[in-house]
Amino acid sequence: MQDLNDMVFFAEVAERGGFAAASRALGIPKSRLSRRVAGLEAQLGVQLMQRSTRKLSLTPAGALFLRHCTAMRDAAKAAAEAIAQVQTEPRGTVRLSCPLTLAQSALAPLLPVFMQRFAQVRVEMLVLNRPVDPVEEGVDLALRVRSQIENSATLVAKTFGTSRSILAASPELLRRQGPVRAPADLSRLDTVATSTTDGRSSWRLEGPAGREIVHAHGPRYVADDLLTLLEAVRRGIGAAQLPDYMCRADLQAGRLVEVLPGWGPPPGITHVMFAPRRALVPAVRELLDFLGENLKGDTPAEPAG
């Protein structure tokens, strides 16, 4: 009989598209995984994978064997998770990923409250401004703010709400470079942005009666951190497209003003992506429910209860 661990190793390598990704997810050296899969092939007497320096693909025998390996692995996980569900208190580690600004503004005050409520739960959060694949990177929950929710055959989404961004500038900038009364007037303003392509950036803006424009501009200042850009906007370096919750206090105090009210980028959907079976684990399920109660859009909320 085959070593069941080797069948799991093979399934992880096949599903993640390579030994490196499987090594990261399993916490096992890549060389060891390669030896175990090669030993499995020798024991079975068939080649399961075609290997090259650029890609890995399954042979017909490998595709057939993979179906049985994944069924065995998923049944074992379901058995462990069924036992976890009868625990009286959630415990274990929950791994999640989150964009930087959402982590700083919303999750920073919320997660300590969750962890005080569930003392046996550990949380590991990856704060990254890039897409995270929960399956490939071994993450239970991947929080995102996007204009559209990914259509995935292997992941499900839970939506928390929508967020709005605005065009913000300092009163001093508008005094220096003139008022903005129509979209065409944006061309006179200096700008700041998180990224450029060949020195150019663009804002997609929606306005009254469904009108839409794309404003191309060359930012004076580029930084891939919104809090850094917010300080530049306060000091009159340029106008920026910023989440409204970041600007609220400055708008109320008069340090910033909204440029071209009624126009703004499409709203972002704050949501989380996860593999369905992960929601069966009590600690993950409790965190999902907690975020659903307390995370409204991407605006910080007072923790419920």
Side-chain angles (χ1 to χ4, degrees):
M1 181 177 177
Q2 288 77 38
D3 187 321
L4 298 184
N5 286 325
D6 289 345
M7 296 174 68
V8 171
F9 295 159
F10 166 71
E12 292 290 332
V13 171
E15 290 186 334
R16 297 177 190 277
F19 288 94
S23 172
R24 290 192 297 270
L26 294 170
I28 295 173
K30 179 181 172 182
S31 57
R32 180 185 171 196
L33 279 179
S34 181
R35 289 196 303 270
R36 295 291 290 266
V37 172
L40 180 62
E41 289 177 315
Q43 186 179 11
L44 292 171
V46 295
Q47 185 176 4
L48 300 174
M49 296 178 170
Q50 297 280 3
R51 301 168 178 81
S52 72
T53 56
R54 299 186 61 183
K55 61 182 293 187
L56 180 149
S57 59
L58 295 178
T59 65
L64 177 64
F65 190 59
L66 176 62
R67 291 201 294 270
H68 295 282
C69 291
T70 54
M72 179 275 299
R73 179 200 61 193
D74 291 345
K77 288 182 177 179
E81 289 164 357
I83 295 300
Q85 289 185 66
V86 304
Q87 292 176 335
T88 57
E89 184 178 3
R91 66 188 64 222
T93 300
V94 181
R95 300 187 76 238
L96 69 153
S97 64
C98 186
L100 175 62
T101 307
L102 184 60
Q104 292 175 335
S105 62
L107 266 67
L110 289 179
L111 286 179
V113 176
F114 173 80
M115 298 179 72
Q116 288 167 350
R117 188 175 300 177
F118 299 102
Q120 300 301 315
V121 176
R122 294 182 66 254
V123 174
E124 295 180 3
M125 182 165 65
L126 305 177
V127 182
L128 301 168
N129 284 330
R130 64 167 175 81
V132 172
D133 185 318
V135 175
E136 181 176 328
E137 301 191 45
V139 169
D140 296 304
L141 304 173
L143 276 82
R144 301 173 179 174
V145 182
R146 297 183 181 175
S147 58
Q148 293 183 325
I149 296 178
E150 173 188 351
N151 185 14
S152 173
T154 58
L155 302 174
V156 296
K158 179 180 177 68
T159 300
F160 299 125
T162 58
S163 63
R164 173 176 173 262
S165 291
I166 65 171
L167 296 181
S170 70
E172 188 273 333
L173 179 74
L174 297 180
R175 283 193 297 269
R176 190 173 73 242
Q177 299 187 328
V180 177
R181 298 188 177 92
D185 297 333
L186 291 171
S187 60
R188 67 164 65 106
L189 293 185
D190 289 334
T191 61
V192 301
T194 55
S195 63
T196 62
T197 301
D198 296 328
R200 303 290 291 175
S201 188
S202 63
W203 295 331
R204 179 187 164 206
L205 304 175
E206 297 177 346
R211 294 175 60 197
E212 184 175 308
I213 66 166
V214 176
H215 174 63
H217 57 101
R220 284 193 65 203
Y221 182 31
V222 179
D224 61 356
D225 174 58
L226 289 176
L227 291 175
T228 300
L229 289 186
L230 174 60
E231 184 61 27
V233 176
R234 287 173 179 150
R235 293 176 179 269
I237 302 303
Q241 183 176 287
L242 296 169
D244 62 349
Y245 65 86
M246 290 184 66
C247 309
R248 191 169 298 134
D250 290 300
L251 291 169
Q252 292 172 349
R255 292 184 293 269
L256 296 179
V257 296
E258 183 174 358
V259 178
L260 210 60
W263 288 83
I269 305 170
T270 304
H271 61 286
V272 62
M273 303 292 295
F274 56 93
R277 60 181 175 78
R278 298 309 302 159
L280 300 176
V281 177
V284 177
R285 187 178 64 249
E286 290 289 354
L287 182 53
L288 272 172
D289 292 343
F290 178 82
L291 293 177
E293 294 172 4
N294 295 288
L295 194 60
K296 308 300 182 185
D298 59 357
T299 304
E302 289 297 323

